[in-house]
Amino acid sequence: MSHPSPPRSPAEFFDDDDPRIAYNRVWFNIMRAHRRLLPSIAKALKAEGLADPIWFEILMEVERAGPQGQLMGQLEEILFVPQYALSRHISRLEKEGFLRREHIADGRRKQVLFLTETGTGLHQRIWPTYMAAIQADVAGCMSTDEAYLLSRLMIKLLPGGQDPGRS
């Protein structure tokens, strides 16, 4: 009777001559996973009226900020979206009637974002669709323990290695 061979270490599994290649593998697999998962999830959100998945996060963060609104500069930091891209998304969300922005006249061109009546609660209404799309694409690929482990490892890539508690 043969016994199964002991599990190989991750480095042995990939048979890399240089273990630093592991970091390259992380990068390319993050990018490939993103490209594989994004289209179907984006399609589900588009059917709910959100042209881009980042819109969900923008609306959620603006609603979390409450009646005082969300500073656009802080939103850039929370979502890791460059100013030019965030401005483009904000303009489109304004055009759709989901939010509005006000300019603060303090000499530094600050903008504060507020949800409109149409935008209030929109992320909560759409969440079941978003969650179902995520579950359909991700749940069959790993156990919940693996999902938590992967999440913990991905958090290490964020500034300070802290979970911002945003998702």
Side-chain angles (χ1 to χ4, degrees):
M1 176 177 222
S2 66
H3 297 288
S5 46
R8 297 168 60 187
S9 74
E12 290 174 332
F13 176 83
F14 286 107
D15 197 29
D16 292 330
D17 293 334
D18 181 348
R20 295 176 300 168
I21 296 298
Y23 302 115
N24 301 46
R25 290 185 182 282
V26 167
W27 171 253
F28 287 110
N29 284 304
I30 288 170
M31 297 304 296
R32 289 175 183 150
H34 179 263
R35 287 190 300 267
R36 185 187 82 72
L37 298 170
L38 186 62
S40 62
I41 292 172
K43 183 178 178 183
L45 291 176
K46 195 170 219 165
E48 293 287 336
L50 295 185
D52 191 296
I54 194 69
W55 287 18
F56 180 89
E57 292 182 77
I58 292 169
L59 293 170
M60 182 176 65
E61 292 301 333
V62 173
E63 188 148 341
R64 280 184 177 164
Q68 73 274 6
Q70 174 66 61
L71 283 171
M72 195 148 143
Q74 289 177 336
L75 194 57
E76 290 173 41
E77 294 173 15
I78 292 167
L79 299 179
F80 303 102
V81 177
Q83 185 275 327
Y84 69 90
L86 186 58
S87 285
R88 188 179 69 235
H89 290 299
I90 298 302
S91 293
R92 291 175 181 163
L93 284 162
E94 278 183 303
K95 186 176 178 183
E96 292 294 324
F98 297 141
L99 59 76
R100 65 181 172 80
R101 65 176 127 188
E102 291 181 11
H103 297 273
I104 298 174
D106 71 349
R108 297 192 326 207
R109 296 177 39 188
K110 288 184 181 178
Q111 298 177 39
V112 182
L113 306 173
F114 300 91
L115 292 180
T116 62
E117 190 174 318
T118 304
T120 300
L122 184 62
H123 78 277
Q124 292 168 334
R125 182 182 63 75
I126 291 172
W127 176 243
T129 299
Y130 198 0
M131 183 174 173
I134 293 167
Q135 297 296 315
D137 278 353
V138 179
C141 299
M142 64 188 76
S143 69
T144 55
D145 285 345
E146 290 169 324
Y148 279 121
L149 176 60
L150 181 57
S151 293
R152 285 180 39 213
L153 293 172
M154 296 292 291
I155 288 166
K156 289 183 171 193
L157 297 175
L158 301 175
Q162 300 294 314
D163 182 0
R166 300 287 183 199
S167 301

